[in-house]
Amino acid sequence: MSATGFLRVLAVDDEPPALDELAYHLRADPRVARLHTAGDATEALRLLRDGDVDVVFLDIRMPGLDGMELARVLRRFARPPAIVFVTAYDDGAVDAFDLGATDYVRKPVRAERLAESLRRVIGSRVVPSHPAALARAEEDPTIPIELAGTTRMLPRSAVRWVEAQGDYARLHTAEGSHLVRVSLATLAERWADAGFVRVHRSYLVQLKLIAELRLVNSGYVVVIDGTELPVSRRHTRELKDKLVRAAKQDWNR
């Protein structure tokens, strides 16, 4: 961030009309002190080599090095800029936030939505500067969800269980549920270290939130927040073992 507290921004998009529109909205925001634009990843890297940038607004689908690949390169910088993906597609949202993206904006861009992104960038680069705060942010990543045309950030810790719905997954929280375009298998793999366990081909649950493992006529169910979720036969023994290990760890604390 510049000494005045305003942002040095780089916008990257291979489509000139989209890049012009993005640049127009960013220049109009008083928090943007300096704006550079690039039509591809190669030009973006050249600009980044020549000067510091606080945030990169980055299209995903570009020829050559695409936005995801460029973001992986930027993560290796000694002082990596914040990343805001700007795209017409929603199928890269989970991958984007696995890369530590600050925001994920859908095209066509709106001035108020970009203003919200800049607010998040400022918050992410000023507030979590303490190492402990950074560690908490890494331990509890956010998931982009769509609510009435607005993308909101849902902390993973708010998810109680996940239900498969075709190529999508429904994230259940204490307040409601949200549909995201990612498979249950993908979330099961990525969230295993965060305590989520597969109990059924259609359900992924947070282990520590299981209140009961109950035998019913058709087999076992787990109870979370008063809701019964089926446990498939193939997952029953592994789930019992994990519950026992978790209980032993609690006793030994």
Side-chain angles (χ1 to χ4, degrees), residues 141-153:
T142 55
I143 305 101
I145 58 172
E146 292 290 329
L147 291 173
T150 300
T151 304
R152 302 290 186 191
M153 300 301 111

Side-chain angles (χ1 to χ4, degrees), residues 5 21 23 32-33 39-41 43 46 50 64 70 89 93 149 165 169 173 177 190-191 200 223 229 232 236 252:
E21 182 183 20
V32 175
D40 56 36
E43 185 181 2
R46 180 182 60 78
D50 293 341
L70 177 56
Y89 308 94
Q165 293 193 347
T173 70
S177 66
R190 294 178 178 177
W191 291 6
H200 188 275
V223 180
L229 303 174
S232 65
T236 299
N252 294 329

Side-chain angles (χ1 to χ4, degrees), residues 29-48:
D29 193 292
R31 291 165 293 189
V32 175
R34 187 167 73 244
L35 175 69
H36 297 288
T37 61
D40 56 36
T42 300
E43 185 181 2
L45 288 170
R46 180 182 60 78
L47 290 168
L48 288 163

Side-chain angles (χ1 to χ4, degrees), residues 19-211:
L19 183 58
D20 289 345
E21 182 183 20
L22 178 59
Y24 172 80
H25 289 305
L26 289 171
R27 286 193 180 99
D29 193 292
R31 291 165 293 189
V32 175
R34 187 167 73 244
L35 175 69
H36 297 288
T37 61
D40 56 36
T42 300
E43 185 181 2
L45 288 170
R46 180 182 60 78
L47 290 168
L48 288 163
R49 180 195 63 203
D50 293 341
D52 289 336
V53 168
D54 298 308
V55 54
V56 179
F57 283 78
L58 181 58
D59 186 27
I60 291 180
R61 299 192 181 183
M62 298 187 297
L65 197 69
D66 68 20
M68 290 292 183
E69 293 166 330
L70 177 56
R72 292 186 180 95
V73 173
L74 299 183
R75 287 188 70 184
R76 297 198 291 267
F77 280 26
R79 296 177 57 191
I83 300 292
V84 174
F85 286 105
V86 183
T87 177
Y89 308 94
D90 62 2
D91 55 357
V94 172
D95 287 335
F97 283 88
D98 278 350
L99 286 171
T102 302
D103 206 353
Y104 191 95
V105 178
R106 291 287 303 278
K107 294 178 180 178
V109 296
R110 307 190 314 273
E112 59 271 21
R113 184 65 183 86
L114 288 178
E116 170 66 11
S117 289
L118 290 169
R119 183 191 67 78
R120 290 176 183 170
V121 168
I122 292 171
S124 70
R125 296 182 76 77
V126 176
V127 177
S129 57
H130 191 278
L134 284 172
R136 286 194 298 270
E138 291 176 358
E139 291 169 1
D140 191 15
T142 55
I143 305 101
I145 58 172
E146 292 290 329
L147 291 173
T150 300
T151 304
R152 302 290 186 191
M153 300 301 111
L154 178 71
R156 183 176 61 189
S157 60
V159 179
R160 319 289 282 182
W161 78 88
V162 186
E163 179 183 2
Q165 293 193 347
D167 293 332
Y168 290 75
R170 183 168 292 280
L171 311 179
H172 292 266
T173 70
E175 289 75 33
S177 66
H178 310 281
L179 198 64
V180 295
R181 190 172 180 179
V182 62
S183 70
L184 191 72
T186 297
L187 289 182
E189 180 181 350
R190 294 178 178 177
W191 291 6
D193 292 341
F196 283 85
V197 297
R198 192 79 172 263
V199 298
H200 188 275
R201 65 181 181 181
S202 298
Y203 293 97
L204 180 70
V205 305
Q206 175 58 272
L207 184 71
K208 67 182 180 182
L209 299 179
I210 295 176

Side-chain angles (χ1 to χ4, degrees), residues 161 197-200 203 205 207 209-237 239-240 243:
W161 78 88
V197 297
R198 192 79 172 263
V199 298
H200 188 275
Y203 293 97
V205 305
L207 184 71
L209 299 179
I210 295 176
E212 292 182 50
L213 174 63
R214 180 189 303 163
L215 181 63
V216 296
N217 293 335
S218 57
Y220 281 93
V221 298
V222 292
V223 180
I224 297 180
D225 296 339
T227 300
E228 294 185 355
L229 303 174
V231 179
S232 65
R233 187 172 300 174
R234 65 184 293 248
H235 289 103
T236 299
R237 178 171 293 279
L239 177 61
K240 287 181 178 179
L243 287 170

